Amino acid sequence: MGKDYYAILGVSKTASEDELKKAYRKLALKWHPDRHADDKQDAEVKFKNISEAYEVLSDKQKRQIYDTYGEEGLKGGVPPGGGGSGFPGGMGNMGGGGTTFSFSSSGPGGGFAGFNPSNPEDIFAQLFGGGLGGLSGLGGRARNSQFMDTDSDMGNHHGGMSSRRPNEVTRPLACTLEEIYNGCTKKLKVTRRVLGQAGAVSTSEKVLQVDVKPGWKAGTKIRFQKEGDDMGHGAQDIVFVLEEKPHPLFKRDGDDLKVDMTLTLEEALCGFKKPVQLLSGKTIQVSNTSVIKPGQISRMAGYGMRVSRQPNGYGALVITYKIQFPTSLTPSQKEKIHEALTQ
């Protein structure tokens, strides 16, 4: 059974061009291999399928053939008399990438050659690339033509991609939890391209400053109006979207901070006192004299994340206890435990 391109993009069979673009942008950014160092091979497969699905469904002719004959018919080619007649003689490829769907009239009944997917990076570059030229300060992940969430317009696909640029380009702004907790300033150098009246493209560099406020949440957008490229359709806005880098100890949940604390069986039964260093740099002592059960949760109000709209507001520190049981006990130890628990 062939691939379900609609399911891959998570859209309905009546999805519009805008819905397809929105789905592709979201999934392509999520599964780009450069964002998956630990599972790059799996990400490459998903990224390739997402690109292939979008390439087919965003093209009216490919989509019509896919809807009629499925993936096998699309890639294998419909035999003469199988519905291939009536289409143009050829399709331009996307940005110089892999071969796109091409039709031929090699026999009395028409027919057409099979579809070969384009290079996923070429499709990605067409939709996301070139908008900022160069960008530094994004935690080492930003590179030319990558991770730019734009609304690039597709042409009608009869003459290749449209040269029209989107109204904005979007880049992730990766910050640590410490930076978001305390607030920080990020300076990012951008290279701007401007198309002159004579057709020449000039470039200039500028440093944009982003003041990250304490407690901002992932997804917060910072917009710089008209600071992007101007390739003849008006200058683009540059939009940075805040992302939280994974933390080795804490996990954010709204305004709360979650942390796992491992206790020995003795600590769980007899009490404990353990230090925890907060994002502020301050160290607090967490203690308990009651019996702690595996998976038990305690909340410490006022020790969580900063609340952006409340200058003196803080969430809670949510501690989940994990109990480390001994791997073995001697007969003597078992006897002592039995005596202690049955008294």
Side-chain angles (χ1 to χ4, degrees):
M1 185 176 180
K3 297 176 184 175
D4 187 340
Y5 291 142
Y6 294 101
I8 290 172
L9 292 181
V11 298
S12 68
K13 292 189 176 182
T14 59
S16 65
E17 183 176 346
D18 288 340
E19 290 172 329
L20 292 171
K21 284 191 288 186
K22 182 178 179 180
Y24 171 80
R25 287 197 303 268
K26 178 180 179 181
L27 293 171
L29 287 171
K30 178 180 180 181
W31 289 108
H32 195 285
D34 284 358
R35 285 186 163 181
H36 293 267
D38 295 334
D39 56 343
K40 192 168 185 177
Q41 187 173 2
D42 183 48
E44 286 176 345
V45 173
K46 291 183 179 180
F47 183 66
K48 180 180 178 182
N49 287 336
I50 291 163
S51 300
E52 181 179 323
Y54 177 73
E55 182 179 6
V56 171
L57 299 183
S58 63
D59 185 291
K60 292 181 180 179
Q61 295 171 344
K62 295 186 186 76
R63 185 173 180 175
Q64 181 179 348
I65 296 168
Y66 170 73
D67 287 343
T68 304
Y69 301 103
E71 181 195 8
E72 294 180 358
L74 181 67
K75 293 181 176 179
V78 176
S85 59
F87 292 107
M91 294 283 289
N93 61 10
M94 297 185 68
T99 305
T100 60
F101 193 91
S102 60
F103 298 84
S104 65
S105 55
S106 56
F112 55 82
F115 159 69
N116 293 315
S118 299
N119 187 325
E121 291 291 354
D122 292 335
I123 298 175
F124 189 88
Q126 284 290 344
L127 285 173
F128 295 95
L132 293 182
L135 181 59
S136 61
L138 293 179
R141 291 195 301 174
R143 303 189 311 190
N144 292 352
S145 304
Q146 299 209 2
F147 304 133
M148 298 168 60
D149 185 8
T150 68
D151 291 318
S152 179
D153 286 291
M154 299 284 287
N156 60 10
H157 302 282
H158 289 282
M161 301 292 292
S162 168
S163 61
R164 182 181 176 187
R165 297 293 301 152
N167 294 325
E168 68 178 39
V169 289
T170 305
R171 282 280 185 137
L173 179 64
C175 295
T176 65
L177 276 183
E178 286 87 354
E179 289 174 327
I180 299 173
Y181 180 94
N182 296 293
C184 67
T185 297
K186 296 278 190 178
K187 294 184 178 180
L188 307 110
K189 183 172 71 174
V190 300
T191 301
R192 185 175 186 239
R193 302 184 308 164
V194 177
L195 179 65
Q197 293 182 350
V201 177
S202 62
T203 61
S204 61
E205 291 186 346
K206 185 174 183 178
V207 175
L208 302 179
Q209 179 172 308
V210 179
D211 295 318
V212 178
K213 304 301 181 184
W216 272 2
K217 295 182 178 180
T220 299
K221 295 183 178 181
I222 307 97
R223 181 180 298 272
F224 291 86
Q225 293 186 341
K226 309 302 180 183
E227 294 287 0
D229 289 353
D230 186 350
M231 301 301 289
H233 297 283
Q236 298 171 309
D237 292 350
I238 299 177
V239 181
F240 294 103
V241 181
L242 185 68
E243 287 189 354
E244 296 174 359
K245 291 183 179 180
H247 194 275
L249 181 63
F250 298 108
K251 182 177 181 181
R252 186 176 184 178
D253 183 12
D255 295 325
D256 295 338
L257 288 174
K258 292 184 173 181
V259 63
D260 291 338
M261 181 175 289
T262 300
L263 305 177
T264 64
L265 183 57
E266 178 189 0
E267 289 173 327
L269 296 175
C270 304
F272 67 91
K273 186 176 183 180
K274 286 180 173 289
V276 175
Q277 186 174 12
L278 304 176
L279 295 177
S280 62
K282 177 183 177 181
T283 298
I284 63 172
Q285 296 293 329
V286 178
S287 61
N288 198 313
T289 57
S290 303
V291 174
I292 300 295
K293 300 176 182 178
Q296 185 172 324
I297 295 174
S298 63
R299 293 175 60 89
M300 299 181 65
Y303 290 99
M305 201 68 187
R306 298 276 293 273
V307 181
S308 60
R309 296 186 180 182
Q310 300 177 22
N312 297 318
Y314 295 83
L317 180 64
V318 182
I319 304 172
T320 300
Y321 297 105
K322 297 181 180 297
I323 313 303
Q324 188 175 41
F325 286 82
T327 55
S328 62
L329 292 172
T330 65
S332 176
Q333 289 173 325
K334 291 180 181 180
E335 183 178 349
K336 290 179 181 179
I337 293 174
H338 179 74
E339 290 176 359
L341 295 178
T342 55
Q343 286 181 354

